[in-house]
Amino acid sequence: MKIQPIAHKTLSETVAGKLAASLLDGSLLPGMQLPAERDLMAQLGVSRATLREALKALEESGLITSRPNVGWFANAIDERNVAKARELMHAADGKPTVPAANEPPTGPLRIPVAPEKPLHIPNLHTDRLGTFEFISWWEREKVQNARVLVVGAGALGNDVIKNLALMGVGHIYIVDFDTIEAANLSRSVLFRESDNNRSKAEVAAARAKALNPQIHVQYLNGDVTTQLGLGVFRRMDVVIGCLDNREARLAVNRFCYWMNKPWVDGAIQELLGLARVFVPGQGACYECTLTEQALRDLSLRYSCPLLARQNILLGKVPTTPTIASIIGGIQSQEALKLINGMPVEPGKVIHYNGMVNEMHTTAYVAREDCESHWTYGQVTELPARAEHTTLEDMLRIARADLGPEAIIELDQELITSLKCSTCHTIEQVLKPLSAVSFEAGHCPTCGNLRETELTHVITGEENYLHRTLSSVGVPPLHILRAHNGQEYRFYELTGDLPEALHFHHFEQTGAPAPARGRVRIQSDEHVKDLPKSPAQGRVKLHE
Ligand SMILES: [Zn+2]
Ligand SMILES: [Zn+2]
């Protein structure tokens, strides 16, 4: 019987490949010491001779260095050794399994190496993203084409935006309604003392662009729950929530579910934090995680909608820049994983407790009766604009498709009147809930808080059908819902696209003014047929 030497050689190659993979994916960082030889032997289940052969191969490839009487150390991966590292890894079909000596073993890592990723040797003197080429899962094209919506530009948002800009995420859309005050400066890396009273979204966007001029940035100084059209969500790859209240999270959760987009939530308080990924149809969503009590609290808005809104605006949570970095870092990383098509764990939460440095992951249970679980069907793109299209126009379009019973459901409650039960007076209002302050809700005569009469459906019976969609609170590029009791249809105000969604806020230099005039449209017209510049005229529909 003959002993086959091939098996032995393959084993040492496998070991070298595993170690090379750990270097490539960053679990063995430059300068880190490898575990002691006897620990490596035990972990890998190989003999000393096999291990030494593998280490020698890595040393010859310039991937590790021996320090006499100390041990083995990882070298930096650069243009001189990356090809060799990949070769070793692929020869062994390597999966990284060996953590560094100064870290506890955590079991096999599941970071997949993009097999189709071409080996590209970057010029580190001229290419700002060059070092990322050495990261096995980072794919330049995916990252540069990515569109990420960041909701909230506070402590968490600052950190997330900074990370996305540095990592080269090509299109970042920032939303926040707040302005900068002195207390924000202690935990917001993008803000300066001279920014006092300026819009958080605008300043964060400008600083992201300054951090990385190669990316495109847009912002909205407004409220995500009412002022951002669903068409913006529809065109994003990932949404990141950097919010401090349940109402906004619930709104973002529903919008993402409707548009079938993944979103990454983060929450921080003092030294505690959590991060979680929600993907529609995969495990629990944010609303599934809310307790009965929380859902009851949220429905308070219906008994006193104006007060509920005011309370949201006042809610402040104490945070530090350190916890914001930790949780913001995890959120950014999860977003990058989603962009690169790597596996994530939707419906689970990562808890971090900075008091005792404990971190663990827990799965939520998806609720079958969850009201968020609804994804829009096919969206019809209309060349209409929120500012110029009336409720009557919209009803006509919907009824052409769905018949005369079709009604429109608005996403925001519309206040039709304010009633004083003391003075027996009724004031006609017709404004979206968000446009009426708590103070304005009080009776000008007796000062009592008045009753609000709300609606969110347009049936055709209203005496205000001539009003434009924007005057009743429909944001630009929104997607409206209509139904006839059996079937829903979805209509996007795609005519708003050139103004509502473009990533050139910090790049425009004397762009020509948009053309004025009247557009004649048909409801089956598609957005691609639209002229380049947005039309300003009132939309006229063919009968
Ligand atoms: Zn749910
Ligand atoms: Zn009164």
Side-chain angles (χ1 to χ4, degrees):
M1 181 186 144
K2 277 196 172 179
I3 295 166
Q4 298 191 355
I6 295 159
H8 164 72
K9 191 173 186 309
T10 306
L11 198 53
S12 83
E13 276 182 354
T14 306
V15 171
K18 282 178 188 293
L19 289 165
S22 302
L23 286 160
L24 282 167
D25 76 11
S27 45
L28 273 171
L29 291 170
M32 267 188 184
Q33 186 175 6
L34 272 64
E37 280 191 10
R38 66 173 176 281
D39 294 337
L40 278 174
M41 285 159 57
Q43 280 179 45
L44 296 160
V46 295
S47 70
R48 188 176 298 271
T50 305
L51 178 65
R52 290 218 167 140
E53 200 173 324
L55 292 170
K56 193 157 165 281
L58 290 165
E59 187 185 30
E60 282 169 0
S61 305
L63 294 166
I64 58 170
T65 306
S66 161
R67 287 187 208 158
N69 304 320
V70 185
W72 291 98
F73 289 82
N75 292 341
I77 297 283
D78 57 27
E79 59 264 64
R80 289 164 304 183
N81 59 15
V82 65
K84 199 68 201 167
R86 284 175 184 277
E87 195 183 300
L88 286 168
M89 181 183 72
H90 287 303
D93 193 21
K95 295 265 189 302
T97 52
V98 182
N102 46 354
E103 284 183 342
T106 53
L109 291 172
R110 283 186 289 158
I111 296 176
V113 174
E116 74 281 15
K117 180 173 173 173
L119 180 59
H120 169 70
I121 305 297
N123 183 336
L124 298 184
H125 296 292
T126 57
D127 182 358
R128 64 181 301 141
L129 303 176
T131 47
F132 297 143
E133 287 290 350
F134 304 129
I135 298 173
S136 56
W137 52 264
W138 185 87
E139 293 185 70
R140 183 181 294 258
E141 205 168 312
K142 287 182 182 171
V143 175
Q144 286 184 333
N145 290 333
R147 291 168 169 228
V148 178
L149 172 63
V150 181
V151 188
L156 268 182
N158 263 256
D159 221 82
V160 165
I161 293 160
K162 176 262 292 174
N163 289 335
L164 298 179
L166 291 178
M167 291 291 291
V169 170
H171 305 82
I172 306 175
Y173 194 125
I174 301 166
V175 183
D176 199 305
F177 64 80
D178 212 356
T179 52
I180 298 167
E181 55 188 25
N184 301 131
L185 299 175
S186 59
R187 49 182 188 271
S188 309
V189 69
L190 302 174
F191 300 158
R192 306 285 175 269
E193 208 151 314
S194 55
D195 297 327
N196 216 10
N197 287 325
R198 292 180 65 194
S199 143
K200 283 183 179 176
E202 181 183 0
V203 173
R207 297 281 147 69
K209 183 74 183 168
L211 269 181
N212 183 352
Q214 289 169 5
I215 61 170
H216 305 286
V217 189
Q218 186 180 354
Y219 68 92
L220 172 77
N221 179 28
D223 183 350
V224 69
T225 63
T226 57
Q227 288 174 284
L228 190 64
L230 274 175
V232 174
F233 283 83
R234 182 174 169 230
R235 288 168 178 80
M236 293 295 141
D237 297 306
V238 182
V239 176
I240 307 183
C242 301
L243 298 156
D244 59 4
N245 67 82
R246 278 184 197 145
E247 285 79 2
R249 284 194 180 91
L250 189 59
V252 167
N253 184 65
R254 289 194 174 171
F255 298 158
C256 287
Y257 219 108
W258 293 348
M259 294 297 114
N260 196 19
K261 300 293 174 183
W263 79 282
V264 187
D265 183 34
I268 52 175
Q269 183 160 8
E270 299 187 22
L271 292 181
L272 307 174
L274 57 84
R276 45 200 176 179
V277 178
F278 297 112
V279 180
Q282 297 182 35
C285 78
Y286 173 70
E287 188 169 346
C288 294
T289 73
L290 294 176
T291 60
E292 288 301 322
Q293 182 60 48
L295 285 168
R296 265 198 301 278
D297 291 349
L298 283 166
S299 67
L300 268 184
R301 56 178 296 206
Y302 295 106
S303 55
C304 186
L306 295 171
L307 183 61
R309 205 184 141 69
Q310 165 155 305
N311 288 342
I312 295 167
L313 302 180
L314 290 175
K316 297 274 182 223
V317 178
T319 59
T320 66
T322 54
I323 190 72
S325 292
I326 293 164
I327 298 301
I330 294 173
Q331 285 183 277
S332 316
Q333 226 164 244
E334 293 302 304
L336 278 154
K337 283 155 72 177
L338 285 162
I339 290 166
N340 281 285
M342 293 167 65
V344 292
E345 296 194 298
K348 290 191 179 181
V349 56
I350 303 161
H351 280 283
Y352 172 76
N353 180 344
M355 290 283 186
V356 291
N357 284 325
E358 195 244 1
M359 198 164 177
H360 68 270
T361 306
T362 323
Y364 293 112
V365 179
R367 289 206 344 233
E368 270 178 32
D369 61 343
C370 177
E371 286 182 28
S372 284
H373 297 189
W374 190 43
T375 300
Y376 279 19
Q378 199 194 338
V379 173
T380 304
E381 298 182 334
L382 301 173
R385 306 191 59 196
E387 227 181 288
H388 304 296
T389 308
T390 63
L391 291 168
E392 201 170 11
D393 292 335
M394 253 344 280
L395 262 183
R396 197 176 308 143
I397 292 169
R399 289 182 172 173
D401 289 336
L402 290 165
E405 280 96 70
I407 61 167
I408 293 165
E409 285 181 358
L410 299 172
D411 287 310
Q412 196 186 172
E413 295 287 337
L414 191 59
I415 299 185
T416 50
S417 65
L418 289 165
K419 208 186 292 181
C420 181
S421 50
T422 315
C423 310
H424 304 288
T425 53
I426 297 179
E427 185 192 343
Q428 303 298 322
V429 180
L430 208 67
K431 279 182 182 170
L433 182 57
S434 61
V436 180
S437 70
F438 184 52
E439 287 73 39
H442 290 80
C443 175
T445 313
C446 71
N448 286 345
L449 186 61
R450 290 178 288 178
E451 258 175 62
T452 43
E453 196 164 289
L454 302 169
T455 184
H456 64 270
V457 288
I458 304 296
T459 62
E461 303 289 306
E462 296 78 5
N463 60 5
Y464 47 84
L465 292 175
H466 61 284
R467 295 283 295 265
T468 63
L469 295 174
S470 51
S471 78
V472 297
V474 175
L477 197 61
H478 199 48
I479 299 171
L480 288 118
R481 287 193 300 271
H483 72 82
N484 58 7
Q486 276 131 37
E487 188 194 347
Y488 270 98
R489 291 281 177 116
F490 308 94
Y491 302 99
E492 185 183 73
L493 303 170
T494 315
D496 287 319
L497 184 60
E499 279 186 25
L501 184 63
H502 61 80
F503 285 99
H504 304 291
H505 274 92
F506 301 96
E507 287 145 55
Q508 246 171 0
T509 46
R516 292 186 174 273
R518 296 167 88 87
V519 225
R520 300 183 73 82
I521 61 158
Q522 286 174 324
S523 54
D524 60 350
E525 226 174 306
H526 198 264
V527 66
K528 67 178 185 296
D529 303 317
L530 276 179
K532 275 273 184 288
S533 31
Q536 297 281 325
R538 169 84 171 271
V539 171
K540 268 255 176 197
L541 299 169
H542 288 299
E543 297 291 345

